[in-house]
Amino acid sequence: MTTPTTEAPIADWVDPADLMRDPYPTYRRLVRDMPVAWVPALGRYLVTASEACRAIEEDQETFSAAVRGSGATMARAMGATPMLRKDDPDHARERTAINTTLRPKSLRAHWAPIFERNARTHLETLRSCGPDEADLNRDYAAPVASQNLIDLLGLRDVTVDDLRRWSHAFIAGTGNLLDDAEIWRRCDAAQDEVDALLAELIPFYRKAPDESITSALIASGLPVEQVTANVKLVISGGMNEPQHAVTNAVWALSRHPAQRRRVLADPSLWAKVFDEVVRWQSPIGMYPRETTRAVTLHGVALPAGAPLGVVVAAANRDPDAFARPDEFDIDRERRPHLAFGSGVHLCAGHWAARIAIGDVAVPLLYAELPDLRTDPRRPESWDGWVFRGLTELPVTWHA
């Protein structure tokens, strides 16, 4: 049955502060009552239904990744427009350059031992903090994600603190729609540091190519400004999601002890844990698109140039796509989710995250500390909705 075309409902009740605290009550109401809605507080249409989000990703000619606003600030933050804000064929040309590095075969053969080395190193840091002081995000998840990214990119003489600072600066710059001068100051400083590093690495990798993403971008023949912009893109987007997948997994299993016991008894279930964690508490909550023409989406008429927020975190709890969507259940029927997007813009690093976090970092935690759990004696802290995760997660275990 064809849904009649209507003007978009106005969700003037959506409060950005509520989204920051816990977006899921807002998402439930949007999915149920107005899955494509204009949100005045955000200055964009939010798309929350799974079917509508997938329709957007299947039609890049109508729903462009080359958005104004955040697209312009991203180009400013990174010195040029990276592949994330391009459509095919330009997007495909740059994406193809790194595909070989990020394929499962290459990741398992070359990178998995490196991921394990990094996880074991920072597991010792976690242990050294002890069961009364350890914070899973600070002591394990964040440094493991940072070091994995440093290695994948082939960055030399870079610390996890350097990478974290650069990532935060580039993300803040991309979101700097109000043109805050202090944000640009930090972002420009990060740009200068990364540009200086790449000025040394580009000639090095031209002479001595290896399996790193930076080496692959250089070998592809892309202009230097596109190499540097895409390295900065990976720095900005490749740390938070794996980091939050670690903490979200431990948080979820601590609250579902029966499922935790089953996984510890049967390690083959770790892949299901990873998939359910990123569906249930999606680290990437929303990303932008823009209409190139007037179009009807999910029965709602949208004008050309409409700014859209594709809310994949809401779509991943759409009851039309998932039974009992608000429950964490590793036994649910396997259905494709949108935690990594879909279509041509499916996250290039999704296999790296699955292997580094789902196969290595989280299983290793429980292999070494089988009674690891969140510590109710100390407060935890969540933050964000565009990117959402635990910024503080105290954990404990029997010493």
Side-chain angles (χ1 to χ4, degrees), residues 8-19 21-42 46 48 314:
I10 299 174
D12 54 7
W13 49 270
V14 172
D15 183 346
D18 289 339
L19 293 172
R21 282 190 294 270
D22 180 1
Y24 287 102
T26 298
Y27 292 165
R28 279 192 289 272
R29 184 174 171 186
L30 287 169
V31 170
R32 182 188 68 230
D33 298 336
M34 44 185 76
V36 179
W38 173 253
V39 180
L42 301 173
L46 289 189
T48 52

Side-chain angles (χ1 to χ4, degrees), residues 47-60:
V47 182
T48 52
S50 177
E51 180 184 43
C53 290
R54 289 190 179 280
I56 288 171
E57 287 296 24
E58 290 169 4
D59 184 1
Q60 61 177 321

